[in-house]
Each structure stands twice: as C-alpha cells, then as structure tokens.
Amino acid sequence: MPELPEVETIKTELSPYVIGRSVKGVTLLWEGIVRQPSVEEFCSRLTGQKITTLARRGKYLLVSLSKGDLLIIHLKMSGSLLVGRDSQEPPRFTRAIIHLDGGTSIFFRDPRKFGLMRLVKDKESVVGGLGPEPLEPGFTPGLLQKLLARRQAPIKALLCDQNFVAGIGNMYADEALFAAKIHPLRMGVSLSREETKRLHRAIRRVLRAGIGRKGASVQNYYRPDGTTGTAHFEFRVAHRGGEPCPNCGTPIERVTVRGRGTYFCPKCQQQNLPPPS
Ligand SMILES: [Zn+2]
C-alpha cells in the first residue's frame, strides 16, 4: 500500500505534468472510484478547472483546482497515477482517466479497486482528523511522548493509525520499530523517554530514506512514469520473513498485530515483559 514516501514521490513527480493544465474531461471505467459527490457532479464540476497545486496530507494527494475545489485522491491498497497520452491504450486495471489539455492523461490504475477520489470545497471534512505530519517541524520527540501517554495499544497499531500520526503504514512502521529496537507489541504507554526519542528519530529516518529512493514497490506501486521505486531493496525487516536479521542473523519473524502482517527481529526487538510477581 502506498504510504507517505510513495504519495510524496507521486506528488513531486506528477506536478510537472499537471500543474497549470486544465481538465478536459473524465472517463470512469469503474464508477465506485468516486466517493463524493455523485458521479455526474464529480465529472461535470471537475471538467474545465485548472490544476493549480499538488500537496500531500498523510497518504492523501490533494489537487487544488482553479474554482476553489479540491480533488482528494487516496490510492489505498494498490492505486497508482500514471501519466500518458490521450491517444494511447489505457494501462491494464485503469479505473479512471483524467484528460488534460495538451493531450496528456492521468490514468488511475487500481487492480484491487479500493482507491477513492473526492471533489470537495473544504478539505477538513476529509483530512481534518488526521494526526501530525511526521516530517513537519512540529512533530517533536516531546509531541510523540505526549501522544503515547496512556495509550494501551500496541505501538505497531498506533503508528499505523492515521489519527495518531499521518502517513505511516505497515512497511515503514515495521522499519521504524526495527531501527528503534522496539518490539511491535509493546504498549504505547510503556515506551521510555529514551525509546520514544529513538522511535522519533527512526520514523523520520525511514520515511526520508523511502522518499530518497522514490518509494517502495513491494506490490502495485508505480511512479507516474510507470517505473518502480527502490526503497524496498533497503528494507531490513519489512516483507523479509525468514530472512536473517541484518544486525544479528536471527530469522525475521512475522506476526499479526491487529490484523496487520508485522515483521520484526525477535532478538533485536525484545519485548520487555513485566517482572514475575
Ligand atoms: Zn536482529
């Protein structure tokens, strides 16, 4: 699933193709991709508007339009936005095509059909509840500590909770916890000040590394030009079940935490059990 580094890469790489261009029309090959408003209103309101800026909030791509609307795209499990020409055959699994002036098209490819588009006036109705952006200056070790206070949930689940902190998903949560040497099942509240500082540093490091490598193409993530990112080649535990830990050689284990496949090193990320009573 595309996470912060993947959506950030898409934002950066899509911008030169779309900013300043007008929407000439929309073709929906799967109407379920439009969440809001109705399909008819979505297509008619979007058509004719010029794209002014692209931004990212969490895993959402925010496309600002000239008449004050905002096109909000969530790629969910398997979406990508591919740039191409109007004249070409749409790539396989294309669910929507946004036709721009100048003959450029954006193909919303989404094999699993979970991706969503919304056209709204007020973005707060969609992204207002999200947690802080982990790469913004306001996300400090002190803030993370405050967020963790009293949280009786596994740290892995908290990191993946978009209302706790925005943009982190399964892959980068596993990588950050490995880098910080914290067991994924530790309760948020149980992290020491030192562990919280390590986790804060690790979160930023793995996200920046992911952006630097243009995202992770474990499955179905493509950059707008159709190429893949390379962040997954650098993953130390994510999707590496059974492989030796790069630190200690112990086989990486996979467990399920609140329904999420979670990879960790049982030796480097030991769970501090409460002392026997
Ligand atoms: Zn290890």
Side-chain angles (χ1 to χ4, degrees):
M1 177 200 264
E3 302 179 23
L4 186 156
E6 289 72 37
V7 181
E8 184 69 20
T9 301
I10 291 167
K11 180 199 84 179
T12 304
E13 297 190 342
L14 197 58
S15 290
Y17 293 102
V18 303
I19 289 179
R21 298 235 171 254
S22 295
V23 177
K24 267 176 40 190
V26 183
T27 304
L28 295 176
L29 303 170
W30 156 248
E31 293 193 344
I33 202 161
V34 173
R35 167 63 64 93
Q36 185 188 348
S38 68
V39 164
E40 294 71 26
E41 190 184 341
F42 178 90
C43 295
S44 67
R45 233 165 82 190
L46 187 54
T47 301
Q49 297 206 54
K50 187 182 267 191
I51 295 173
T52 55
T53 58
L54 258 57
R56 180 195 55 74
R57 178 79 172 95
K59 302 179 193 172
Y60 290 94
L61 184 68
L62 311 176
V63 182
S64 295
L65 300 161
S66 52
K67 289 179 190 160
D69 275 320
L70 208 65
L71 171 63
I72 302 186
I73 298 174
H74 200 303
L75 299 167
K76 294 280 179 176
M77 301 295 289
S78 62
S80 25
L81 300 170
L82 301 172
V83 175
R85 304 296 300 169
D86 254 347
S87 49
Q88 78 178 71
E89 189 71 17
R92 195 168 173 220
F93 303 122
T94 294
R95 308 301 179 196
I97 309 170
I98 299 175
H99 308 275
L100 304 175
D101 61 7
T104 299
S105 278
I106 307 301
F107 298 96
F108 194 153
R109 177 188 187 273
D110 188 18
R112 298 185 64 182
K113 292 186 175 176
F114 289 109
L116 290 172
M117 295 195 285
R118 291 178 170 90
L119 194 62
V120 298
K121 290 276 179 215
D122 174 22
K123 68 177 179 191
E124 292 308 307
S125 62
V126 182
V127 301
L130 293 178
E133 282 291 324
L135 294 180
E136 293 281 306
F139 184 72
T140 59
L143 175 61
L144 182 56
Q145 189 155 28
K146 224 189 293 179
L147 295 173
L148 287 169
R150 295 184 299 280
R151 294 303 299 261
Q152 297 283 354
I155 185 63
K156 166 68 187 273
L158 290 171
L159 291 180
C160 292
D161 176 352
Q162 298 305 296
N163 300 327
F164 179 81
V165 56
I168 301 173
N170 233 3
M171 303 183 294
Y172 294 97
D174 285 357
E175 289 298 299
L177 289 170
F178 176 79
K181 295 185 171 13
I182 295 170
H183 193 286
L185 284 171
R186 289 276 304 280
M187 292 295 123
V189 67
S190 78
L191 267 58
S192 69
R193 182 188 287 261
E194 183 51 39
E195 286 173 322
T196 305
K197 269 167 118 173
R198 281 209 312 264
L199 180 59
H200 176 268
R201 202 161 45 230
I203 288 170
R204 290 192 154 187
R205 199 163 61 219
V206 301
L207 292 176
R208 288 198 177 116
I211 293 170
R213 295 196 164 266
K214 314 298 180 195
S217 292
V218 174
Q219 44 183 213
N220 283 317
Y221 159 73
Y222 295 98
R223 294 158 63 185
D225 66 0
T227 61
T228 52
T230 60
H232 53 298
F233 295 128
E234 304 296 313
F235 282 168
R236 317 207 43 210
V237 291
H239 298 280
R240 294 200 181 279
E243 293 182 30
C245 165
N247 284 352
C248 73
T250 305
I252 304 295
E253 282 185 13
R254 182 185 187 280
V255 292
T256 303
V257 180
R258 302 246 169 125
R260 295 168 178 277
T262 296
Y263 299 88
F264 71 105
C265 171
K267 192 165 172 205
C268 295
Q269 296 165 267
Q270 286 189 22
Q271 189 165 20
N272 294 344
L273 298 169
S277 52

